[in-house]
Each structure stands twice: as C-alpha cells, then as structure tokens.
Amino acid sequence: MTVRMIDVGGYRLRAVEQGVGPLVLMVHGFPGLAYSWRHQMAPLAKAGFRAVAIDSLGYGGSDRPAGQDAYTSERMQDYLLAVLNHYGADRAVIVGQDFGAQYAWNLAVRAPDRVAALIATIPYDYDLAGRAMLGAAPRLPAGEPARPEASSPDRAPSERFAAMARAHFVHFHYFGQVGPAERELAGRVPEFLARLFHELSAGGDLWRWKTMPSEGSGYLDVLPDAPPLPWPWLSKAEFDLFVAGYDHVDPMLRFIGGLNSYRTADANWTIGREWADHDVETPTLFLYGREDPSFGFFPDWEDRLRKRVPGLYDIVALPDAGHFLQQEQPAAFNRAMLDFLGRVMA
C-alpha cells in the first residue's frame, strides 16, 4: 500500500492507494478518514482496480484550512478532479459515503464525462444542501416560514435547520455556529468519536437527541455513552487510528473538515440550484445500511431516486448495517460493489 500527498491546487490531500488498473476513488464523510475504506482496498486491487482512498480536506493527514470558502461544493469538485488528473485518469469510479456521497453525486452530475460509474450510500440530492430530488422550483408561497426539513427546494438550509432546532437539538443547526462545537469537542476526541460511531451504527439510536432541547445542549449532552470497545465491526486498535487521525496541534482544527462541510450548506444550496433539475445518467449502484439512522431524514427517497437516477443499476440494502456499512458489513459491501463493477466496467 502506498501513501502520497497530492497537490490539488493550493492544498494537499493525503491519499492511500493499492493495485493497478482503472481508478476507483473512495471518498469518506464525517466522521471518517481514508482509513474508513481499509476493507475495500485489497479486494479492489485483487479485482484489477487501482483503489485510492483520500483524507478529504480538513481531515487526517490532509491540509486543514480554517476558512469555509475552501469547502464549498465547487471547491470539493475541483479537488476530486485534481486527484483524477494526478493519476492520469480521464474517468474513474467514484465511491462516496456520507458527505463523500454528496461529492460523488455532484461529480456525476456536474462532470459526467469524468465519472465511469458511481456507488453512493446516501440518496441523491438529499444531502445538507439538497432539494430532496424535487427540483429547483420553490414549492412554498413567498413569505411562508421555513419548515423543519433537512432537504427542500424551499428556504436556505440554515433557515430550515433553525426551524428543526426549535423543537429539539439537531446537529445540523449546532454545527453551523462557529465556535461552540470546536470548544466542546476539541479536548474530548475519543469520547465524541466513540459515541458518534456507535449511535450511527446499526446498534445505535441517533434519534434520542429528540428528547433534548437545543438551548444549552452540546452534542455530547445528547449522545449516550458508547459501550466499551471492541465492537463487532471496530477493534480498539482501529478506533485508536481514527482518534489519531483527528488530532491536530490547533484544537480548533481537529474537526474542521466535518464542521465546515455543515457550514457551507447555504453556499452549496445556492450553487446547486443550477443543477437541481439534472438527472443522474451515470451507471449507479445505491448501497445503504438497513439500520442507518440517518435515513430518518429522507422521506420518500426510494421512489424519487428511481425516477431521478435513470442510470440506476440497483438498490441494495445491507442488513445489520448502519451509517458505516462499508466497515460494519465489509464482505457484503464488497460483494455488491465488485459484482456491479464487473458488469459495468467489463
């Protein structure tokens, strides 16, 4: 396995690679690292692909700029294309999880000539800056208050998140404020990662935050204690590598990649208006964890996905998997991934 730093235009991304062949670029979300794809590297290489996983900007060994402008969807697209260019790949398979799925969908729509195939774990256009696959046109009358919806063509995300937060704590709103999350989490990295990993997995219950008010609550106030490691899908040694990957000499930058991904929601929603009526023609496999608690944000996603993704090859639900399905059920994830690639890349 090779580790390298890639210049993506003013910043450097840490990339891990294995194998020779067509490029498969894997992009993690929050909380994650290139290490999130450790179970996929060798199987892809054995199948004749060049497997590459990156630490996204603001994470792990990649650069961590503080400014939010470095994390908009346009800039993230530029970085991914720079990675493809570094490897001399005119086209690549893009695999995305969480925010990585947002970037992967965007790339397939906005630079379709560069994406040979797509594997995503979060529905198209349901990300923090998405419109729930409903298109660009607003549906609410002018002047009507924002509704408490995570994704919508109506009102900027920050307005909708604030409406959600009036009922209970929601991390979308909490993370959007510069300062509180940094101060809360900087000195409690292992505790926060363990709690969030567990609550987003098949064994967790992220929605317990609905019992907590926004006022006066931090994220650690609403996340229950995690059971002791090891877990069936995560060893203590693996967890320690994640903790090390989030460390930084500047405490305010330890989680900056994830936090700025939330804070660019309004900017990305504005940028995305131009693309909101575009369907996804790229050959696509949608893989998700059947117990992924984040799907509570995605009403009617399957019918909409089948309509808006004419390139859809299949939808595969992995049992006993939550948000981190490629880690929780790697064998099943890899079988579905390699079957799909064997058919569309033949």
Side-chain angles (χ1 to χ4, degrees), residues 45-255:
K46 184 177 180 180
F49 295 95
R50 188 174 202 171
V52 174
I54 58 170
D55 287 339
S56 287
L57 190 74
Y59 294 82
S62 295
D63 288 343
R64 302 194 196 190
Q68 296 175 27
D69 289 349
Y71 296 84
T72 66
S73 61
E74 289 180 329
R75 298 295 299 277
M76 298 305 294
Q77 176 173 320
D78 289 343
Y79 307 146
L80 295 185
L81 292 176
V83 172
L84 268 58
N85 293 340
H86 171 85
Y87 286 104
D90 292 334
R91 304 170 78 226
V93 176
I94 312 296
V95 186
Q97 184 265 338
D98 190 75
F99 281 119
Q102 171 183 337
Y103 309 144
W105 286 117
N106 285 345
L107 200 65
V109 169
R110 303 175 190 182
D113 57 315
R114 303 300 302 273
V115 182
L118 169 68
I119 300 173
T121 67
I122 292 295
Y124 171 48
D125 202 37
Y126 260 113
D127 54 71
L128 290 183
R131 289 171 167 80
M133 294 185 277
L134 295 173
R139 298 189 170 209
L140 291 180
E144 184 168 326
R147 294 178 179 175
E149 300 171 314
S151 303
S152 171
D154 299 296
R155 311 292 182 265
S158 61
E159 297 178 52
R160 292 183 271 109
F161 300 162
M164 297 170 73
R166 284 194 284 271
H168 54 77
F169 179 91
V170 62
H171 69 296
F172 297 162
H173 178 69
Y174 178 65
F175 282 166
Q177 308 162 62
V178 177
E182 284 92 336
R183 290 189 292 270
E184 179 194 16
L185 304 177
R188 303 171 72 178
V189 174
E191 181 182 1
F192 172 62
L193 287 178
R195 291 188 185 193
L196 191 55
F197 277 143
H198 184 260
E199 290 307 291
L200 281 168
S201 73
D205 180 14
L206 188 71
W207 291 93
R208 278 184 277 191
W209 69 29
K210 283 192 171 184
T211 65
M212 299 294 292
S214 292
E215 188 67 30
S217 297
Y219 211 172
L220 286 170
D221 295 320
V222 307
L223 290 173
D225 290 338
L229 289 155
W231 306 333
W233 64 274
L234 189 67
S235 71
K236 180 63 165 60
E238 290 172 323
F239 176 74
D240 288 345
L241 286 172
F242 278 107
V243 172
Y246 276 91
D247 195 17
H248 194 274
V249 65
D250 184 347
M252 297 296 281
L253 297 180
R254 286 177 181 159
F255 291 103

